[in-house]
Each structure stands twice: as structure tokens, then as C-alpha cells.
């Protein structure tokens, strides 16, 4: 809402008397010598501008405040420079171009306003306020050339410089005022008029007091509406099995960034979800049996990334540190410094810190460490006997023994033809390591000691 204080200040500034400093600045810029003969003419010109500006602001100020549209303040201030000169006598000589820079600025501003205004009218809803803005642009665009013709005249005798100086000054002001009006009409968004007096406090709209339940999460969708707080609308909630899931927070806001979807993760067996609670901002595990809180209340800047691991038995929460929760025993292991959990099974945990890859046991004790490589992926065998690192953009496979940290093999990964690695699938039930091609989408067995790929014959 436009503040009445801003409007009052605008009127007070417009009501300031014509000062000697303003007259001196005018004379200096125009190269005019102010004498006793022409001083009254110069003073009358600026006093007349001041009087008409105040007259224009009288209707503009309440109109701007009640419609919540700042354009009318700009229009009230600048209108006198655009429309008042039409009252001057018609030119006695052909117009002369003394304000090329200002004319260029006006033409560029008008062109930009027309293009932007046309785009806004075509891409957004047409409202009475936007139509009023467009009408103002059209009126000003028609008035400026007519007024310029009035201001471009010069007297025939060439002796008195006062009238040409005033006209030249007015021409510059005309172009600047016209540019300000058309750009403001395009760039300033019309507000909504006030609907009577607002109460001192309006309680936020809350969601219905119920918690959605499920047995199996067949599908889920993130909120589709733009971010809005405390709006009871299904499109502003997560949907589980096409029904609103109101207990899950739809968005989080982090410092310096736009709102983003809050964490919401489904387990691989589709029996559970982990999400951020809308009301108390705790990370929550929920399945058909009920809910279990994984954290205390969190600020949005501390909300972690959630992942399921170990055939959905474990939940990993990672931010600046990591926390692993066993959903059968509800025991937790804290991993200080762990930024991401890459793999987790019955034999151990693979995490990365700022500079290292760590293979840990379920008590958080380190079994082996490696330097962190860019874009590497990590896989720990279920029995804990092998640890595989795929690096160099999916072209090299290194195999380690976690018990000793010894490198057992380092082989190049070459697919047939132009194919390349899409993703490693880990170990099969038979104990073979599986990878999938990117282009062919074929699944291959990988010999970790030789790098040979083969497909099972059927």
C-alpha cells in the first residue's frame, strides 16, 4: 500500500517556494544572464510551474492512495511539464532541434514502454488498472510531439534570450517527464484498492485438523501452486495417492534463495515416507503404523536431505552432519561432518565429508578412508568385503578391501560401440556387479578384476 506519508511528503516538496539557488542553476545551465529586466519573467515561469504542479497533485494524491497505484503520484508530478506548454503561443519559426539527447531518451523510453506494456497485456490478465495505464501511455505519447512543437519556437529579433531559454528548459523537462510517465505506467504494478478498514490482527488460515494416513504410497506429487503460507488448498499441499497430505510442509525458505519444495521422500517398498512437518518443523517418518519423529524442530536453513537405504530399513538425514536411523529399533547414529550418505547396508555406511570418502560401521567407526573425487559414485557390498568406486566420469572402476583399505583392482570401463555408463546397479543376488548402459539401456555384468562386460545369455 502506498503510504499517506509518502504522498504528503510529495505535496510538501512540490509546495516549496522557488529559491534563488534554483534560479541560479537554471541560469547557469542555460547560459542566461539574469538581469532586472528579465528576472520577473524567469521567476514567474517557475512559480507558475509550482502552482500547476500543486493543482495536479490535489486529485493525484488521493487517487494514488485509494487505488494503491504509485503511477498517479508520478503523473501528478510530471503532468505539468507535459501538458501545460500547450497553452503557449504557436511557433513563429520552424522548430529547431536543441534537445537531441533528451528526445532520444524519450523515444527509447516510449519504445520500451510500448513493447513491455504490450507483452504484459498479452501475457497477463487485463484489469481496469492496466487499461488505465495503457490509456495514460497513449495520451502522453500523443501530447509530447504536440507540446514540443509549441516549445521549439524562437522570437524573430534574436535579442532577448529569456524566452528561448525558458522554452529550451521546458523542452528538456517535457521529454524527461514524458519518459518518466510512460516507463512508470509500464513498470509500476497496479495495486489493489483497499477494501474498507482492516482489523488490527487477522489470524492465519490453518489447515483442517487431521492427519492423512495410508497403507501403501502408490504415487505422490509435489505442490503445484506458487509458494503461499497457510493456504488451505489441495494444490498447495503434497498429494499422496491423489489425496491432500496436509501434515507435510510444502515449501522451505532458505536465506538468499527462492522458496523450494520441502523434503518428501518415499521408501523403495512404498510403505513409508519421510517429510518435514508443516506445524512443528520436525522431520517425520510415517507408515501405516503411525508416525515417528526423527528430529526436533528445525529452522528452514537446517532442514536436511532425506534418503532411504538398506532396503528401506534405514533413514539417512544429511546436512552439515548426518544422522542414520534404524526404523526397526529406532536407534540412531550421528556422523559429524558427513555431508552426504551414498550407500548403507547391513555391513556398513558410506559417506562423504568436505574432502574424504569414509566407509563406516554401524557404530560410526571408520573402516577406511579415501580422498574425495569429483562426481565419483560409491558402492559397498552387502557382506562388507568389497568397496567399489566409479570415477573419471564413469570410465574407471577401483575395488578396495574395506578391512585393510588395500586397492584390489583398478580397471577401465569400456562399453561396446558408443555406449557409456548410465548408472551402476550394485551387486546382484548371485554376487555379480551390475551396470547399465546410457544409450542402449542394457544391463551388463562387470568383472571387477578385468573390466570385462558381458550379458547373460537367455
Amino acid at each position: 500500500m502506498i503510504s499517506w506519508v509518502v504522498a504528503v511528503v510529495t505535496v510538501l516538496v512540490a509546495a516549496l517556494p522557488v529559491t534563488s539557488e534554483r534560479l541560479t542553476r537554471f541560469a547557469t545551465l542555460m547560459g542566461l544572464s539574469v538581469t532586472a529586466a528579465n528576472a520577473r519573467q524567469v521567476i514567474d515561469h517557475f512559480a507558475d510551474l509550482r502552482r500547476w504542479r500543486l493543482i495536479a497533485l490535489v486529485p493525484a494524491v488521493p487517487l494514488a492512495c485509494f487505488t494503491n497505484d504509485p503511477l498517479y503520484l508520478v503523473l501528478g508530478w510530471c503532468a505539468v511539464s507535459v501538458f501545460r506548454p500547450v497553452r503557449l503561443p504557436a511557433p513563429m519559426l520552424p522548430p529547431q532541434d536543441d534537445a537531441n539527447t533528451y528526445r532520444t531518451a524519450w523515444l527509447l523510453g516510449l519504445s520500451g514502454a510500448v513493447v513491455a506494456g504490450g507483452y504484459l497485456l498479452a501475457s497477463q490478465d487485463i484489469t481496469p488498472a492496466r487499461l488505465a495505464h495503457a490509456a495514460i501511455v497513449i495520451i502522453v505519447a500523443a501530447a509530447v510531439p504536440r507540446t514540443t512543437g509549441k516549445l521549439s519556437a524562437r522570437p524573430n529579433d534574436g535579442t532577448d534570450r529569456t524566452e528561448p531559454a525558458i522554452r529550451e528548459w521546458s523542452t528538456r523537462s517535457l521529454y524527461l517527464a514524458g519518459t518518466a510517465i510512460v516507463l512508470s505506467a509500464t513498470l509500476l504494478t497496479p495495486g489493489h484498492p483497499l477494501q474498507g478498514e482492516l482489523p488490527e490482527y487477522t489470524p492465519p488460515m490453518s489447515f483442517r485438523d487431521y492427519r492423512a494416513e495410508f497403507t501403501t504410497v502408490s504415487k505422490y506429487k509435489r505442490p503445484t501452486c506458487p509458494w503461499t503460507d497457510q493456504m488451505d488448498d489441495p494444490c498447495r499441499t503434497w498429494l499422496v495417492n491423489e489425496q491432500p497430505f496436509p501434515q507435510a510442509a510444502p515449501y522451505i525458505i532458505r536465506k538468499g534463495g527462492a522458496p523450494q519444495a520441502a523434503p518428501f521422500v518415499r521408501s523403495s517398498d512404498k510403505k513409508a515416507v519421510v517429510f518435514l512437518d508443516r506445524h512443528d518443523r520436525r522431520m517425520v517418518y510415517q507408515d501405516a503404523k503411525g508416525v515417528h519423529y526423527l528430529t526436533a524442530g528445525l529452522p528452514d536453513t537446517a532442514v536436511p536431505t532425506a534418503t532411504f537405504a538398506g532396503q528401506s530399513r534405514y533413514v539417512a538425514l544429511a546436512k552439515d552432519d548426518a544422522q542414520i536411523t534404524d526404523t526397526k529399533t529406532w536407534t540412531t547414529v550421528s556422523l559429524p561432518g558427513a555431508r552426504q550418505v551414498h550407500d548403507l547396508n547391513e555391513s556398513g555406511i558410506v559417506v562423504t565429508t568436505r574432502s574424504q570418502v569414509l566407509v563406516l560401521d554401524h557404530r560410526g567407526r571408520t573402516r577406511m578412508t579415501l580422498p574425495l573425487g569429483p562426481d565419483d559414485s560409491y558402492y559397498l557390498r552387502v557382506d562388507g568385503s568389497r568397496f567399489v568406486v566409479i570415477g573419471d566420469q564413469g570410465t574407471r572402476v577401483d575395488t578396495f578391501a574395506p578391512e585393510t583399505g588395500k586397492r584390489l583392482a583398478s580397471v577401465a570401463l569400456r562399453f561396446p560401440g558408443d555406449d557409456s555408463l548410465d548408472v551402476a546397479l550394485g551387486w546382484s543376488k548371485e554376487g555379480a556387479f551390475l551396470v547399465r548402459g546410457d544409450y542402449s539401456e542394457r544391463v551388463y555384468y562387470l568383472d571387477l578384476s578385468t573390466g570385462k562386460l558381458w550379458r547373460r545369455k537367455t
Side-chain angles (χ1 to χ4, degrees):
M1 183 184 73
I2 296 176
S3 172
W4 281 93
V5 175
V6 176
V8 171
V9 170
T10 303
V11 174
L12 292 177
V13 173
L16 290 176
V18 179
T19 62
S20 59
E21 289 79 6
R22 183 177 183 184
L23 299 178
T24 302
R25 185 170 65 253
F26 164 75
T28 301
L29 291 175
M30 302 310 301
L32 177 68
S33 297
V34 179
T35 64
N38 63 13
R40 175 48 55 188
Q41 184 178 4
V42 174
I43 293 173
D44 288 346
H45 169 74
F46 285 100
D48 199 30
L49 283 178
R50 170 176 167 270
R51 181 173 62 256
W52 282 103
R53 179 168 286 126
L54 282 172
I55 293 174
L57 285 172
V58 168
V61 166
L63 186 61
C65 291
F66 286 115
T67 62
N68 195 22
D69 195 340
L71 171 63
Y72 294 109
L73 281 182
V74 179
L75 184 63
W77 185 275
C78 298
V80 61
S81 297
V82 175
F83 297 103
R84 178 183 169 275
V86 299
R87 300 171 55 250
L88 295 174
M92 295 174 289
L93 293 177
Q96 299 184 20
D97 190 1
D98 293 325
N100 286 327
T101 301
Y102 298 91
R103 180 183 294 109
T104 301
W106 153 251
L107 293 176
L108 290 175
L110 178 61
S111 301
V114 170
V115 173
Y119 171 78
L120 291 175
L121 287 175
S123 61
Q124 299 182 7
D125 293 337
I126 298 178
T127 63
R130 291 202 179 279
L131 290 177
H133 281 214
I136 290 172
V137 171
I138 294 172
I139 293 172
V140 172
V144 168
R146 174 178 174 82
T147 307
T148 304
K150 297 282 187 177
L151 292 172
S152 300
R154 296 180 180 273
N156 286 317
D157 55 16
T159 57
D160 186 6
R161 277 272 302 146
T162 305
E163 180 68 20
I166 292 175
R167 289 178 180 270
E168 184 176 350
W169 177 275
S170 299
T171 299
R172 296 179 181 181
S173 300
L174 164 67
Y175 284 131
L176 292 176
T179 304
I181 292 174
V182 297
L183 289 180
S184 298
T186 303
L187 301 178
L188 295 180
T189 303
H192 301 285
L194 296 179
Q195 303 296 326
E197 184 178 356
L198 295 176
E200 293 183 2
Y201 173 74
T202 302
M205 184 183 297
S206 61
F207 278 77
R208 295 182 296 274
D209 188 16
Y210 80 94
R211 179 175 289 272
E213 298 178 350
F214 59 86
T215 301
T216 300
V217 180
S218 57
K219 58 182 177 180
Y220 65 98
K221 294 181 180 179
R222 66 174 54 200
T224 57
C225 290
W227 174 78
T228 305
D229 188 27
Q230 299 292 344
M231 294 296 289
D232 190 4
D233 192 323
C235 71
R236 292 184 174 89
T237 67
W238 288 90
L239 298 181
V240 172
N241 300 334
E242 298 185 349
Q243 297 299 318
F245 202 75
Q247 61 263 41
Y251 296 98
I252 57 174
I253 306 174
R254 293 194 169 113
K255 184 177 181 181
Q260 56 185 274
F264 191 100
V265 183
R266 179 182 63 176
S267 62
S268 58
D269 60 7
K270 302 181 182 180
K271 300 295 185 180
V273 293
V274 171
F275 57 90
L276 178 68
D277 189 276
R278 173 189 295 275
H279 303 290
D280 55 28
R281 313 303 282 183
R282 293 189 287 182
M283 294 297 295
V284 180
Y285 173 95
Q286 181 173 345
D287 58 13
K289 299 177 182 178
V291 300
H292 190 91
Y293 294 101
L294 304 175
T295 68
L298 299 170
D300 282 12
T301 54
V303 172
T305 300
T307 54
F308 280 93
Q311 297 181 341
S312 301
R313 173 175 176 174
Y314 302 98
V315 176
L317 303 178
K319 181 65 174 173
D320 297 326
D321 302 310
Q323 172 186 298
I324 308 294
T325 302
D326 187 331
T327 61
K328 289 187 177 180
T329 64
W330 298 112
T331 57
T332 62
V333 176
S334 297
L335 307 175
R339 294 299 188 91
Q340 185 175 356
V341 178
H342 292 268
D343 199 359
L344 194 158
N345 56 40
E346 295 178 0
S347 63
I349 309 166
V350 181
V351 302
T352 53
T353 65
R354 287 181 179 270
S355 59
Q356 289 183 313
V357 182
L358 307 179
V359 179
L360 312 170
D361 63 19
H362 280 271
R363 295 183 180 180
R365 295 179 300 190
T366 302
R367 299 177 61 191
M368 69 169 290
T369 64
L370 290 173
L372 179 63
D375 301 323
D376 289 356
S377 53
Y378 311 98
Y379 306 88
L380 181 65
R381 190 166 176 166
V382 176
D383 61 8
S385 62
R386 294 291 183 270
F387 177 53
V388 169
V389 179
I390 300 182
D392 293 342
Q393 298 181 343
T395 61
R396 178 156 295 278
V397 181
D398 294 317
T399 306
F400 299 85
E403 295 83 358
T404 62
K406 180 181 177 181
R407 189 195 306 266
L408 302 178
S410 180
V411 298
L413 182 58
R414 296 187 178 93
F415 283 80
D418 295 331
D419 208 354
S420 60
L421 178 68
D422 176 26
V423 67
L425 302 176
W427 280 270
S428 67
K429 293 181 179 180
E430 296 80 13
F433 195 82
L434 304 177
V435 294
R436 185 172 65 203
D438 186 19
Y439 302 126
S440 64
E441 297 185 353
R442 294 177 177 175
V443 176
Y444 295 89
Y445 291 88
L446 169 63
D447 189 325
L448 294 174
S449 60
T450 65
K452 180 181 178 182
L453 296 172
W454 79 94
R455 287 173 54 80
R456 174 179 292 180
K457 295 181 180 180
T458 56

